[in-house]
Amino acid sequence: MTLAITRKISPRFNECELTHISREPINLNLARQQHANYVLALQALSCEVIELPAEKDLPDSVFVEDTAFILPEIAIITRPGADSRKPEIESVAQALAPHRKLLRVHAPATVDGGDVLILGKNIFIGNSTRSNSAAVNQIQELLKPYGYVVAHVELRDCLHLKSALTKVDDQTLLINPNWADVSHFKQFDWIEIDAAEPYAANCLPINGQILYPTDFPKTAQKLEAHGYKLKQVDLSELAKAEGAVTCCSLIV
Ligand code: CIR
């Protein structure tokens, strides 16, 4: 059974970090309802969900993806780039400890899980405002014994690498080519987002289906035309906090 770790939304969600979009009021009740539906969708996709309690004083803590990344052999606990998010890691480390040996990065390294794209033995880390080259170097050293190769990928105009591209399956990526140096990914097949939907490149493949936002109908159609089965969720309130489908869970 696939395990998914999620966390309930903080009462201070409206104080979230924002980098590329301007602040709009988030309806907390609606955001919680959308998040509950996201958890139901994970369960419908055969995930066992461990839902951590809300962190009252950590506005962005629903976005658990940024606190860790998980490999078959081990998990790495990150050191998030935004200071407001650094305290989010400990409760996630506790939740992951029964499932993986945990490794950590240390200052001056900072890295958000949203910047970490794992494609087999290749790990790509976005060069973002959150993730730096000290993190890339430390992660390469930590993962060398396990045979992983780590690359730093230039980004433009987006928060994280996984805003620009995500994995659809082992050979296929969903890509917004305007936001990342896509020359790293020539060996993969690409599905390009519809140009009218720049935020559409974030999808979460789970157990043969693709968890995908309802906000991007044109790109959704493209994915379906390629034969992928979508499980769609409305995350419009979480999008006001710059969140998307991958960032609300850690898939173990
Ligand atoms: C932040 O700026 O950190 C949050 N407001 C959004 C984080 C989204 N995380 C993700 O896409 N992995």
Side-chain angles (χ1 to χ4, degrees), residues 93-105:
Q94 270 175 31
L96 282 174
H99 305 283
R100 289 291 187 283
K101 176 182 169 186
L102 303 181
L103 301 176
R104 289 180 185 254
V105 293

Side-chain angles (χ1 to χ4, degrees), residues 55-235:
E55 287 274 11
K56 169 162 102 12
D57 291 320
L58 301 177
D60 277 308
S61 51
V62 63
F63 300 126
V64 286
E65 174 184 49
D66 292 318
T67 59
F69 61 94
I70 299 155
L71 298 166
E73 305 87 348
I74 49 125
I76 293 199
I77 303 300
T78 66
R79 184 167 180 271
D83 285 343
S84 69
R85 302 203 57 192
K86 288 186 171 67
E88 292 177 23
I89 57 175
E90 289 314 327
S91 52
V92 171
Q94 270 175 31
L96 282 174
H99 305 283
R100 289 291 187 283
K101 176 182 169 186
L102 303 181
L103 301 176
R104 289 180 185 254
V105 293
H106 299 282
T110 63
V111 57
D112 283 8
D115 271 319
V116 181
L117 180 65
I118 302 162
L119 298 172
K121 285 286 182 184
N122 292 301
I123 298 188
F124 298 93
I125 301 184
N127 186 8
S128 69
T129 54
R130 302 291 174 83
S131 303
N132 61 22
S133 46
V136 173
N137 295 337
Q138 288 185 24
I139 291 167
Q140 178 64 87
E141 281 309 303
L142 289 170
L143 295 182
K144 217 182 260 170
Y146 302 93
Y148 289 92
V149 178
V150 182
H152 213 181
V153 179
E154 291 303 321
L155 302 181
R156 288 174 291 276
D157 303 329
C158 64
L159 181 59
H160 287 133
L161 178 61
K162 279 188 270 188
S163 322
L165 61 145
T166 50
K167 173 177 158 165
V168 189
D169 63 28
D170 286 343
Q171 182 50 33
T172 313
L173 302 174
L174 182 61
I175 285 202
N176 174 344
N178 297 321
W179 281 359
D181 174 2
V182 290
S183 65
H184 291 273
F185 304 101
K186 287 195 177 126
Q187 73 272 37
F188 295 93
D189 299 327
W190 299 1
I191 300 175
E192 286 194 21
I193 53 135
D194 187 285
E197 299 173 340
Y199 289 89
N202 188 270
C203 74
L204 181 57
I206 302 184
N207 295 330
Q209 291 190 46
I210 311 290
L211 192 57
Y212 196 67
T214 49
D215 280 344
F216 312 116
K218 293 179 175 165
T219 307
Q221 249 179 21
K222 265 195 167 184
L223 286 165
E224 282 171 340
H226 279 81
Y228 294 102
K229 184 160 183 221
L230 304 190
K231 174 93 184 155
Q232 293 198 262
V233 282
D234 182 357
L235 291 178

